[in-house]
Amino acid sequence: NTALILEMLGRYDDALQVLDEALVSRPTDSDVHLARGIIHLKRGDVPASLDALRLYRTSPNVKTPSRQYYSYTVLASAVGGDLEYSVAVGREGLGHYPDSGPILVNMGQVLERRGEMEAAAALYKRATQTSPPLPQAHKNLGDQAWAHGDSEGARTQYEKAVKLAPRLGDDVYLRLGTIAYKSNDRDVALLLWRRALDLNPQNEAVRANLDMLSSD
């Protein structure tokens, strides 16, 4: 529909206007409330997002909330600072959808914020085994390995992540390039850092690394 197309184009305000107009004639439409909750979150209005998601959850026709409701509510609640509620919603969601990659990953990120790193890693690993596997899950496992100084483990996970999603993020290519450089593979490091700069020309760390290579 029109709102979905506008959302995909990043025109969130226009999408919200379409959905607000839809609410005039369909004030109890749960799908409209869910869509508004998602778009409000994407545009950074967490309170409005949570309000819309609550309206969706309490809609008379919603018996079992959708996967999207759980994944976005986990995220919105965490961004809003209510980690306990976020975890509770995530557990409820995984009770209904144990193989949902987005719920697993979002829940894992909340657990990381609470310092529960092993529990988070277990959820990320589950998310890598879903169909389709979630590239963000591999990235998060790579980040954990990187933080522990496990370069080989980080490389393995980052490579899996970018194989699934080549444009996942410049930070992944920055770290892959760093790992290659430390292994004395300068040519590979150069390619990876250039890829990172293609994705984010404002990445000053990448520019500094490329300048270092050119001056060696």
Side-chain angles (χ1 to χ4, degrees), residues 14-209:
D14 292 335
L16 281 173
Q17 182 176 347
V18 171
L19 292 169
D20 288 343
E21 291 171 357
L23 277 181
V24 175
S25 58
R26 310 197 311 267
T28 62
D29 190 323
S30 59
D31 290 338
V32 174
H33 290 307
L34 179 60
R36 290 180 73 251
I38 292 170
I39 293 174
H40 274 305
L41 182 60
K42 289 183 176 182
R43 66 191 293 272
D45 191 341
V46 174
S49 173
L50 289 170
D51 286 343
L53 290 168
R54 289 190 192 100
L55 287 171
Y56 164 81
R57 180 65 181 89
T58 57
S59 296
N61 63 319
V62 174
K63 304 304 180 185
T64 300
S66 69
R67 295 169 186 254
Q68 278 190 312
Y69 163 78
Y70 285 112
S71 62
Y72 281 100
T73 302
V74 167
L75 185 57
S77 300
V79 173
D82 193 345
L83 298 186
E84 294 302 319
Y85 182 70
S86 179
V87 169
V89 171
R91 286 175 177 159
E92 179 184 313
L94 291 176
H96 293 299
Y97 309 105
D99 62 343
S100 171
I103 300 175
L104 289 164
V105 167
N106 288 351
M107 178 77 161
Q109 291 172 334
V110 175
L111 293 178
E112 278 204 64
R113 287 183 60 179
R114 300 207 315 181
E116 301 175 39
M117 309 305 288
E118 291 185 6
L123 294 183
Y124 297 149
K125 289 174 183 176
R126 282 173 58 185
T128 66
Q129 297 165 4
T130 60
S131 182
L134 227 60
Q136 187 66 41
H138 285 295
K139 180 187 181 300
N140 290 356
L141 286 170
D143 289 344
Q144 285 194 342
W146 177 271
H148 285 91
D150 180 4
S151 295
E152 184 59 26
R155 183 188 65 79
T156 298
Q157 294 298 333
Y158 287 150
E159 287 180 349
K160 290 179 179 179
V162 297
K163 183 177 181 179
L164 292 168
R167 299 183 62 83
L168 182 61
D170 53 301
D171 57 330
V172 178
Y173 290 98
L174 170 59
R175 289 180 174 178
L176 281 171
T178 300
I179 293 168
Y181 180 79
K182 289 181 177 179
S183 299
N184 296 317
D185 201 336
R186 294 165 54 91
D187 291 340
V188 172
L190 179 62
L191 290 173
L192 290 166
W193 285 338
R194 283 177 174 171
R195 176 60 172 157
L197 199 63
D198 286 342
L199 292 173
N200 180 12
Q202 307 304 317
N203 193 318
E204 296 302 326
V206 175
R207 289 188 179 279
N209 288 349

